[in-house]
Amino acid sequence: VSGRGGIKLKVNGKKRVVHAPPMARLLDVLREDLGLTGTKEGCGEGECGACSVLVDGEVVASCLVPLCQVDGAKVVTIEGLAKKKLHPLQQAFLACGGSQCGICTPGMIVAASTLDEGATLDDVKNALAGNLCRCTGYTKIYDSVLAVVGGRDEKKKARKARKAPRAVEGGR
Amino acid sequence: MPKRKHKKGEAGSVGRNVQRAEGVDKVTGRARYLDDLRFPGMLYGATVRSSIARGRILSVERDPGFDWSGFTFVDASDVPGKNHVAMIVPDQPILAQGEVNHREEPIALVAHADRARLAEALAHVTVRYQPLPAVLDLEAATEVMKEITIVKGDVAAGLAESDVIVEGLWHTGHQEQLYIETNGVIAVPPAPSLEGGEAGDGGDGGITIYGSMQCPFYVVRALATILGLPSEKVRVIQTTTGGGFGGKEEFPSVIAAHAALLARKAGRPVKMVYERAEDMVATTKRHPSTVRHRTGLRKDGTLVAMDIDVRIDGGAYVTLTPVVLSRAAIHATGPYHVPNVRIVARALRTHTPPNGAFRGFGAPQSQFAAEMQMDRAAEAVGLSPVELRRRNLLKIGDVTATGQRLDESVSAHEVLDRALALASGWQRTAPVERGDGAAHPLRGVGVATYFHGSGFTGGGEVKLASKVGLELTDGGVRILVASTEIGQGTRTMHAQIVADTLGIPYEWVETGDPDTARVPDSGPTVASRTCMVVGRILQRAALDLRQELGAWDDAHDFRKRARRRLESEGPLRIIAQYQKPGEIEWSDETYRGSAYGAYAWGANVAEVEVDPVTFQARCTRLVSVVDVGKAIHPQHVEGQIEGGSLQAVGWALLEDVVMREGRMANGQLTNYIIPTTLDTPEMIVGIVENPYRHGPFGAKGVGEAPMDGPAPAILAAIRDAVGARLDRVPATPERIMEAMRAGAAGAREVAA
């Protein structure tokens, strides 16, 4: 498939030509050939979602995608989300505590970026069901995502969750 | 703008949700994790592992027909120093020598510049064994690694005077930490041109390790021993770490030593990163446990005696097992006042991969049993589980099993009250037939209470004698600690404590990288000690700095003084060391005294639905309330509580390590299931702040505590929903079905 000219694809808006075996994992091509290490490997079997990227707008586990399959495709990675400023989801993950150890964060944000405005909590849960996080218990990830794409009520709730909670003073 | 939101540049950050120190790097993908690093000329390493549980090694043969050029090969004969991992007992070889004692035990190492060729090389190494009989589980184990006895009062007399005695036998299995970033390191030998010596091990410029880890100085000690080097020749730098949960407490010493041996032999940097399957089968897990209880009560529900036998499975080598056992033993009564106690705790050796640190460190296992037992006892005396707890929860002035009088910061009642208030209206629902003939899920509610000691047990902190550093920078101060950021918010929280103690903005405080060549040893990042213990030492360092600079009027005055001081006298570095609070006394011989300076107190209420057709249980809502002393960063504290609670939900319902012939049979994410978004209950978190006077701003520990309560609360909810009492976690559909068919299982009451 690759031929002499290599495989052509668009990564984060830039045309790239990759000379790698056609069955090379997209994950390795991104990380090793293109130096885009923001996409992470968590399991190598498509279960954890740490390697999520967009291929022609669809979320895929890049550890399961061979290079030949993205010939001519548009690929977006975490590095492609922030323009001059952080992407609203990146800002929200910072503000709402959606990122702890951070290893799932790039994949999580990329997966969440496909959600449409007006998403409900269930929409968020379904969209992120293929992305594992072992740190947060997901709650602050929901807050982060809903703060950006949620309906009015969800946004309000997420903003409230961002505030320092009122703790109960112990007295005994 | 939310009223309490912290404004950039403002002093007074404690108690506010300032921006995570390394947050921008993490959300943009710029943070550099171990596998994101490459060095010129770097090789990749892989491990030859034992395929049997126990036996003598007859030979390790490299296929002469295979082209070994370009490969580096290392076995036990290449270990220049002592062939053991320096931890508590020197029983674990870094590479097996003459015998293997568990499946997947490392025997030899190979490295090559092309990662893709490693599997091929491993296939051309043949290990011949003479198999020996192996002990593969706790039930069969007899060899005691460590035994601890705790006695208070007279348990025989206590049981004799009890109206009711409840007996129970409770089990928990392995649990995998499952950090999303697997274990990985890069060992870099000195470049010959820079150090003036030979490459690799010839010149003895030592070794530098980059790695994903919790405890850089553990790695220094282990490598100095294995490589036969003075400690200062081993430099360890923690890279951005994708989760730890205990799984990167002691294990990184093993993989770092492997990479170092290869790197010194090859004279080139060597990267070792485990694939997920290797990480799951070969690295440490939570200790399986069996706990036998005899609980004596009066008719009114007052606890009179607890006779507890705790057994945990250490695996093949000791690693941290004695300390895990200690925490399990000390927490075995649960957070209750019991006049007569006998706890006999034993760790046993099996020929399975060594078990090690995992969030909670023994306390989740022994308190699971204690809480299951309390529910059993409540039924036996005819009280509600809540009422039985209320009558026995520890309060100020009470004395624990080790004889520690609790004089401050005790919140067992508050956390329970608050948890119940947050779960107001939750109740069991009776089975309802739906119109379509399908059965309605059965809903139940369960409660658990727990405590969790902050910091190292007993005299542990005195032995650690942790040190921290603070140095003046051009615009503020820099924190120098070996404490690692592994997601929990260490950097942010430490900076907040220092900023507020100095009265300067949070943004003026930076944190140096945990690089053992540059930072003092502030101890391991474990045991819920990084805020309460290390944070307190940092606070003292900040006070010393104040003294050194003279009082300042405001933050800007501080900056002026700092600059003047740097110009006139050069760099200023303050080092402060742990000081033991006067009232803490502990004896390792008798196991009497103040086991911990302070305790976090917690309560959970779980709501569970059980499908009567598939027997699958789902936790639908979970209240987690923890007294943390003071929430330095409330959002991160909530994050710890939510994340820890979900790991406990996984342990309770999903995470089943299946061991077959001494090896994890389901070592893949496809069939070892951790909670996804769809398995996650609605989390309702409550923070209680009952200050501890020796914690920074009153703070205690929070990291481990949330792991302790949810599992027994969920099993109590299953009992409430369907009447089945399971005697172990996880509560898989098969076990729920069996328990429902068998009726009440796991425990029996005896009328005395």
Side-chain angles (χ1 to χ4, degrees):
Chain A
V1 181
S2 136
R4 223 172 292 161
I7 284 176
K8 296 191 184 81
L9 63 166
K10 221 177 209 186
V11 182
N12 299 331
K14 268 192 216 142
K15 285 184 189 160
R16 309 296 292 251
V17 181
V18 180
H19 298 273
M23 290 307 286
R25 304 187 302 174
L26 176 58
L27 171 65
D28 296 330
V29 169
L30 291 170
R31 288 178 52 82
E32 283 164 32
D33 296 86
L34 303 179
L36 297 171
T37 54
T39 303
K40 306 299 179 190
E41 174 161 5
C43 69
E45 51 173 331
E47 290 286 343
C48 77
C51 65
S52 299
V53 299
L54 304 183
V55 173
D56 292 333
E58 296 272 330
V59 186
V60 301
S62 62
C63 73
L64 296 184
V65 175
L67 177 61
C68 57
Q69 217 174 31
V70 294
D71 200 358
K74 284 184 193 149
V75 177
V76 178
T77 70
I78 185 72
E79 289 92 346
L81 288 184
K83 305 291 176 207
K84 273 184 194 149
K85 273 167 65 183
L86 294 183
H87 187 281
L89 279 168
Q90 292 172 318
Q91 283 172 0
F93 270 67
L94 270 177
C96 301
S99 178
Q100 288 192 20
C101 86
I103 194 86
C104 76
T105 307
M108 205 60 91
I109 290 178
V110 165
S113 73
T114 59
L115 278 161
D116 294 324
E117 185 79 15
T120 64
L121 178 59
D122 278 345
D123 295 337
V124 174
K125 286 184 179 184
N126 284 319
L128 301 180
N131 291 72
L132 295 176
C133 171
R134 192 59 154 167
C135 290
T136 62
Y138 301 108
T139 305
K140 304 226 176 303
I141 293 177
Y142 305 153
D143 291 343
S144 307
V145 177
L146 287 173
V148 178
V149 301
R152 220 179 53 186
D153 289 354
E154 271 94 3
K155 278 187 183 157
K156 214 166 126 192
K157 241 170 100 182
R159 267 202 302 276
K160 214 174 124 196
R162 208 181 297 182
K163 275 197 268 182
R166 249 168 57 91
V168 170
E169 303 292 330
R172 268 173 227 215
Chain B
M1 259 311 191
K3 212 167 71 197
R4 292 195 60 176
K5 192 171 155 101
H6 182 62
K7 287 200 196 74
K8 241 188 168 163
E10 198 178 74
S13 64
V14 166
R16 293 187 167 159
N17 296 332
V18 295
Q19 183 167 303
R20 174 177 281 273
E22 75 292 357
V24 172
D25 284 344
K26 285 180 171 172
V27 300
T28 53
R30 284 202 294 264
R32 306 281 267 172
Y33 296 79
L34 189 276
D35 202 23
D36 303 337
L37 305 179
R38 268 194 278 185
F39 287 81
M42 191 172 81
L43 309 180
Y44 297 88
T47 313
V48 177
R49 299 184 176 280
S50 172
S51 58
I52 66 168
R54 182 168 174 242
R56 268 187 272 285
I57 298 174
L58 301 176
S59 66
V60 181
E61 292 157 25
R62 270 175 285 167
D63 181 357
F66 182 75
D67 178 10
W68 288 97
S69 61
F71 284 94
T72 303
F73 185 86
V74 160
D75 63 19
S77 69
D78 292 298
V79 177
K82 292 177 181 146
N83 186 7
H84 70 249
V85 186
M87 189 43 75
I88 295 173
V89 175
D91 64 339
Q92 183 180 14
I94 194 66
L95 289 169
Q97 200 160 12
E99 60 174 40
V100 287
N101 287 298
H102 64 86
R103 282 290 300 258
E104 311 303 330
E105 182 162 359
I107 296 171
L109 307 161
V110 293
H112 194 275
D114 182 359
R115 205 193 301 225
R117 292 202 59 198
L118 291 169
E120 211 184 327
L122 292 181
H124 287 88
V125 179
T126 307
V127 183
R128 295 188 199 289
Y129 309 92
Q130 180 195 344
L132 293 168
V135 174
L136 296 181
D137 58 37
L138 200 46
E139 215 163 302
T142 53
E143 188 190 336
V144 176
M145 279 180 174
K146 172 81 180 174
E147 180 167 335
I148 292 167
T149 305
I150 297 172
V151 175
K152 174 189 176 191
D154 182 339
V155 81
L159 287 172
E161 68 180 73
S162 297
D163 298 322
V164 176
I165 295 171
V166 179
E167 293 186 16
L169 181 59
W170 312 101
H171 311 269
T172 65
H174 290 92
Q175 186 184 20
E176 165 58 32
Q177 293 89 354
L178 230 137
Y179 30 69
I180 304 295
E181 181 206 28
T182 57
N183 269 288
V185 299
I186 300 173
V188 184
S193 54
L194 293 178
E195 302 286 329
E198 291 169 52
D201 56 1
D204 245 319
I207 193 86
T208 300
I209 300 288
Y210 295 81
S212 176
M213 64 183 73
Q214 295 176 225
C215 313
F217 278 96
Y218 278 8
V219 178
V220 170
R221 185 170 159 235
L223 264 61
T225 308
I226 289 160
L227 300 177
L229 289 173
S231 307
E232 60 273 14
K233 292 279 184 191
V234 181
R235 178 178 178 188
V236 179
I237 301 160
Q238 181 232 5
T239 49
T240 309
T241 295
F245 317 116
K248 293 173 187 168
E249 176 171 354
E250 73 277 28
F251 191 83
S253 295
V254 173
I255 186 169
H258 289 165
L261 288 166
L262 283 167
R264 283 166 66 87
K265 188 157 178 182
R268 290 165 71 172
V270 172
K271 178 190 270 192
M272 292 188 84
V273 176
Y274 288 163
E275 291 194 349
R276 177 59 61 188
E278 182 173 23
D279 197 291
M280 288 178 88
V281 296
T283 72
T284 55
K285 311 238 170 319
R286 184 184 299 287
H287 291 72
S289 73
T290 297
V291 183
R292 186 181 296 279
H293 265 263
R294 294 183 79 211
T295 306
L297 306 98
R298 287 194 214 293
K299 272 188 207 128
D300 67 1
T302 313
L303 288 168
V304 184
M306 282 191 185
D307 190 6
I308 308 170
D309 179 67
V310 179
R311 290 157 63 94
I312 65 170
D313 177 352
Y317 298 115
V318 169
T319 68
L320 292 163
T321 291
V323 204
V324 174
L325 184 74
S326 164
R327 196 172 272 269
I330 291 166
H331 290 80
T333 59
Y336 307 107
H337 174 70
V338 193
N340 305 290
V341 181
R342 178 173 61 202
I343 301 160
V344 179
R346 293 186 193 90
L348 294 115
R349 195 186 301 272
T350 60
H351 299 106
T352 59
N355 295 310
F358 192 162
R359 195 179 211 155
F361 211 72
Q365 292 96 313
S366 65
Q367 292 193 92
F368 167 73
E371 287 303 278
M372 295 300 287
Q373 191 70 12
M374 285 300 277
D375 279 4
R376 195 75 196 166
E379 277 176 32
V381 296
L383 288 173
S384 76
V386 168
E387 185 53 33
L388 181 71
R389 284 171 172 82
R390 283 208 171 115
R391 290 186 189 185
N392 293 286
L393 282 169
L394 286 163
K395 54 190 187 304
I396 288 287
D398 282 346
V399 175
T400 68
T402 65
Q404 175 175 7
R405 205 185 111 96
L406 299 171
D407 289 324
E408 65 172 320
S409 196
V410 177
S411 308
H413 286 274
E414 277 99 328
V415 292
L416 177 58
D417 291 345
R418 180 127 158 86
L420 292 169
L422 289 171
S424 153
W426 295 15
Q427 56 184 336
R428 171 174 198 274
T429 54
V432 182
E433 276 297 318
R434 289 200 309 218
D436 56 4
H440 200 279
L442 303 166
R443 184 176 295 162
V445 179
V447 176
T449 46
Y450 62 87
F451 66 154
H452 199 100
S454 304
F456 265 36
T457 305
E461 292 294 346
V462 174
K463 278 181 213 146
L464 280 177
S466 300
K467 285 187 187 140
V468 307
L470 270 188
E471 57 188 17
L472 273 188
T473 63
D474 193 31
V477 291
R478 182 179 301 115
I479 292 171
L480 300 170
V481 290
S483 306
T484 51
E485 170 62 59
I486 55 172
Q488 79 286 48
T490 293
R491 285 183 169 219
T492 312
M493 169 271 292
H494 278 172
Q496 287 177 279
I497 289 169
V498 169
D500 278 30
T501 308
L502 293 175
I504 62 174
Y506 159 75
E507 289 80 8
W508 294 7
V509 183
E510 57 181 279
T511 304
D513 283 326
D515 171 349
T516 59
R518 300 212 171 131
V519 298
D521 184 359
S522 59
T525 303
V526 304
S528 309
R529 66 184 292 278
T530 303
C531 180
M532 184 179 99
V533 179
V534 183
R536 177 60 168 185
I537 312 172
L538 273 170
Q539 196 174 30
R540 291 205 6 257
L543 292 171
D544 290 351
L545 180 67
R546 224 173 215 289
Q547 194 119 43
E548 190 71 30
L549 278 187
W552 52 85
D553 303 333
D554 58 21
H556 293 281
D557 188 29
F558 163 84
R559 231 174 206 180
K560 263 189 255 160
R561 279 167 188 269
R563 285 197 177 127
R564 226 179 294 141
R565 164 76 194 218
L566 286 173
E567 277 160 25
S568 60
E569 292 176 58
L572 174 60
R573 192 187 224 216
I574 302 280
I575 300 287
Q577 189 167 350
Y578 173 74
Q579 281 180 359
K580 180 179 80 76
E583 69 274 13
I584 296 185
E585 294 299 336
W586 173 259
S587 162
D588 269 332
E589 284 70 48
T590 61
Y591 254 70
R592 307 294 299 159
S594 305
Y596 302 96
Y599 295 83
W601 303 88
N604 292 105
V605 184
E607 179 191 73
V608 170
E609 284 182 4
V610 182
D611 186 312
V613 178
T614 65
F615 300 99
Q616 189 173 34
R618 248 165 41 83
C619 184
T620 43
R621 289 191 283 184
L622 181 66
V623 168
S624 297
V625 177
V626 188
D627 164 24
V628 301
K630 169 74 190 173
I632 303 291
H633 190 296
Q635 184 187 71
H636 289 180
V637 168
E638 286 184 332
Q640 284 299 294
I641 297 172
E642 287 159 1
S645 296
L646 190 61
Q647 286 181 354
V649 171
W651 190 49
L653 293 173
L654 302 170
E655 298 183 35
D656 196 8
V657 173
V658 178
M659 295 295 282
R660 209 169 279 153
E661 287 162 26
R663 182 179 192 270
M664 183 179 186
N666 55 336
Q668 284 175 295
L669 271 173
T670 311
N671 44 19
Y672 180 80
I673 307 297
I674 64 166
T676 69
T677 54
L678 302 179
D679 306 300
T680 299
E682 180 191 343
M683 301 256 200
I684 301 118
V685 168
I687 296 173
V688 170
E689 295 184 320
N690 188 352
Y692 169 50
R693 91 191 107 126
H694 299 300
F697 300 95
K700 303 186 282 190
V702 64
E704 296 173 289
M707 186 73 217
D708 291 349
I714 286 169
L715 264 66
I718 293 173
R719 165 79 170 168
D720 189 43
V722 296
R725 188 184 311 284
L726 282 87
D727 63 350
R728 65 192 68 209
V729 285
T732 56
E734 294 88 340
R735 286 180 181 155
I736 293 172
M737 182 184 77
E738 274 168 29
M740 283 174 74
R741 291 193 174 161
R748 64 199 167 90
E749 299 128 56
V750 180

